[in-house]
Amino acid sequence: MIILEVKNLNKFYGEFQALENVNLTVKKNEVYGFIGRNGAGKTTTINSILSLIDYQSGEVFFDGEKVSKRSMHDKRDIGYVPDVPSFPRYLTARDFLGFVYDTYQLPKEDKDQAIKTILGRVQLEDNTKKISGYSRGMKQRLAIAQALIHKPKLLLMDEPTSALDPMGRKDILDIIRELKKELTILYSTHILEDAQKVCDTIGLIEGGKMVFEKPLKTIISDREQAYYMRTVEPLEQVLRTIKDSQLVTDEHIYNGGIVYTLKDAGKTLDFQRFLNQHNIAITYLQPYEKSLEDVFVEVLHENRH
Amino acid sequence: MKTVINYDLLYFKKTSKFIVFGVLGIFLAGFSALTAKYFNVIIEYSLGQEGIDIVLPEPTVLESYTQFFSNFTQIYLFVILFIAVTFFIQDKTRGHYPLIFTKPILRSHYILSKSLVISLTLIVSYIVSALFFGYYSFVLFNEFDVGLYMIASLAFLVFCLVMIHAGLFFSVIFRSFLGAILLPIILFVLFGLMGPLDGGIFKYFPYQLMRYPLVLMAGEVETVTVLLTTIIGFLITLALLLGSIKLFQSKSLL
């Protein structure tokens, strides 16, 4: 069941094309990791989905209904967390959440309890100071609170951890893990480690174009098997030698050894023979599990060629 | 709509801007009446200390009106304009739009609320100040033309509304505070320069509202002319409001 669908989205800033036929499909109850480098088009896509910016062509559907600048159905059921949230500094968290709660026209009698519950969920319940005194991490947690207060069907998170320190990042990822159980999340990030921790599906955008959209599991298993080896000989020398063999690809030094992928999986024996011929003695060899970051680098590399 | 109004009222409440409006208005009202009454006495006394004996004429209530409308046009209106433009543009300049417009809020309601809240704040604070001035002037001068003063006040209020809504319109167009405040100020200066241009149809142009309160109290212009110009000014305010809404609806927010 699809909850959000973006079809052939095109966005220009003057002559510059920021998005080129972007297609994106988010299914209900999944965490969709929208990944890409800075400037790849993630925020532009999200701002277009939210009608915060105009786009030249394309369509956005939320829960089967077309989204437009004036439509309200999407706004009632989508929660949004920006990368660097900016709140009115003179308000307290309760003031701001009270305003947000009222915009959804939810029952007045439940307002206080709803605010209390949501503040508890993001660990801001005892905070009475003005938002101007909040740290970045606290503001990000408040941004999550305001995005959840109306119990949305879809949560759009635009790089929520990009401006945070490691502890702040961990807090946000913990919250996402909790939320995963009850709602659909589109989580945009360039921190691939974070995406790998919480996402079910990954959409990769590069230069305003979608490169792929696949379940996280298949992205990694679809790639050629990589290996990790340690040798007696110096790593730099071994790396130069195996590069010349023309049998491997994506070879690089990692954690005191070398990671490589065979260009042709059937040529394992040929590669071993090559190492023997060049007197390279292997002391340790095991299959290497690629990370999303490895795949990301490989795909971008392939795309460039 | 009610929610957005509450949000806008919170700004005035939490930042104490209500107090600025009220205190400034009442201070200027009292100050105007007092200076009108005692300025000549102060000058006579000061010159007397220097050995110059001069007798200035007894001030009339007309000088009180003059002080009041001059102070309100030159100080009160400027302060209000600065506060209003800050109020209109701050959600944009401080990056609050993404958190506001991802909620079910109509853009038309957003602009209407800004207009309504600032207009009501202006009207209430002006009425309080004007009542204070009226009472104080009557106490000091034993005369006060309530009817004419009400018409003059109406003309002044509408002039303020025209200027504030020009600020609203430019706040929708520009992305910075400077751009949004500069044009209404330029407009104000131009209005001042155009004042003498009051023949024929020009007497109904809203820039006349800047000086009509004064000249009306002095009996130098017909009441009907002031009322007609006030109505035209009000219509221009509405046009600026509708223009702001249309423009805001058609623009990209970021």
Side-chain angles (χ1 to χ4, degrees), chain A residues 52 54 86 95 104 146, chain B residues 14 94 101 103 249 252-253:
Chain A
L52 290 172
D54 296 333
S86 177
D95 292 333
Y104 294 105
Q146 62 82 35
Chain B
K14 296 271 177 174
R94 293 187 180 165
F101 290 102
K103 311 290 176 286
Q249 282 175 329
S252 237
L253 288 171

Side-chain angles (χ1 to χ4, degrees), chain A residues 22-294:
Chain A
V22 169
N23 289 291
L24 187 148
T25 308
V26 181
K27 296 188 198 87
K28 264 188 183 159
N29 300 319
E30 72 172 357
V31 179
Y32 184 104
F34 192 35
I35 65 170
R37 289 191 281 192
N38 284 334
K42 301 185 296 294
T43 299
T44 306
T45 306
I46 289 176
N47 286 341
S48 301
I49 292 169
L50 292 165
S51 307
L52 290 172
I53 55 170
D54 296 333
Y55 43 89
Q56 278 69 29
S57 63
E59 290 170 312
V60 178
F61 294 90
F62 172 70
D63 225 4
E65 278 187 62
K66 195 173 172 183
V67 170
S68 73
K69 213 188 267 188
R70 294 180 191 195
S71 60
M72 287 289 143
H73 71 283
D74 52 309
K75 292 187 173 69
R76 290 191 196 285
D77 284 320
I78 293 180
Y80 169 61
V81 182
D83 51 350
V84 184
S86 177
F87 298 93
R89 297 165 56 83
Y90 47 89
L91 298 180
T92 63
R94 280 174 196 277
D95 292 333
F96 189 74
L97 291 176
F99 157 65
V100 172
Y101 185 91
D102 290 341
T103 63
Y104 294 105
Q105 293 169 335
L106 300 167
K108 284 258 180 279
E109 59 274 18
D110 299 338
K111 185 174 170 180
D112 287 342
Q113 188 54 44
I115 293 173
K116 199 176 163 195
T117 307
I118 204 72
L119 281 173
R121 196 164 188 178
V122 295
Q123 294 144 33
L124 288 172
E125 65 270 45
D126 299 324
N127 211 298
T128 50
K129 60 181 173 183
K130 286 185 180 173
I131 301 171
S132 55
Y134 278 25
S135 68
R136 274 185 173 180
M138 287 163 81
K139 282 184 189 163
Q140 202 59 270
R141 279 185 273 142
L142 179 59
I144 293 178
Q146 62 82 35
L148 293 176
I149 197 162
H150 59 299
K151 299 191 173 91
K153 291 179 183 170
L154 172 68
L155 182 64
L156 294 182
M157 304 181 94
D158 186 10
E159 309 214 31
T161 56
S162 63
L164 302 181
D165 61 21
M167 278 315 288
R169 239 175 87 192
K170 187 188 166 297
D171 286 347
I172 301 297
L173 288 177
D174 287 345
I175 293 172
I176 294 174
R177 276 195 200 96
E178 270 299 305
L179 294 172
K180 219 178 146 166
K181 296 168 196 162
E182 56 196 85
L183 78 161
T184 311
I185 301 173
L186 186 148
Y187 172 50
S188 145
T189 185
H190 64 268
I191 305 171
L192 305 177
E193 193 190 331
D194 291 353
Q196 195 166 2
K197 279 179 188 160
V198 293
C199 297
D200 305 307
T201 301
I202 297 289
L204 170 64
I205 189 167
E206 170 64 11
K209 293 180 205 168
M210 286 301 282
V211 178
F212 65 67
E213 188 176 76
K214 288 177 184 176
L216 177 70
K217 282 178 197 160
T218 61
I219 291 171
I220 295 171
S221 62
D222 280 357
R223 309 302 296 179
E224 292 295 331
Q225 177 63 58
Y227 295 92
Y228 173 80
M229 70 175 178
R230 286 192 197 140
T231 60
V232 176
E233 291 72 24
L235 294 176
E236 299 286 346
Q237 183 193 322
V238 174
L239 192 70
R240 271 198 303 277
T241 311
I242 65 169
K243 210 174 252 181
D244 293 341
S245 75
Q246 305 290 322
L247 292 167
V248 296
T249 182
D250 299 323
E251 64 286 343
H252 59 273
I253 294 172
Y254 171 74
N255 198 20
I258 290 174
V259 172
Y260 65 91
T261 306
L262 285 172
K263 280 183 181 167
D264 181 344
K267 296 213 168 166
T268 313
L269 281 175
D270 291 352
F271 185 59
Q272 275 180 8
R273 220 170 285 136
F274 174 84
L275 294 176
N276 288 339
Q277 281 166 8
H278 290 82
N279 298 318
I280 297 171
I282 298 171
T283 56
Y284 182 83
L285 178 69
Q286 70 161 41
Y288 170 76
E289 194 174 315
K290 286 185 179 175
S291 66
L292 185 58
E293 197 165 333
D294 296 321

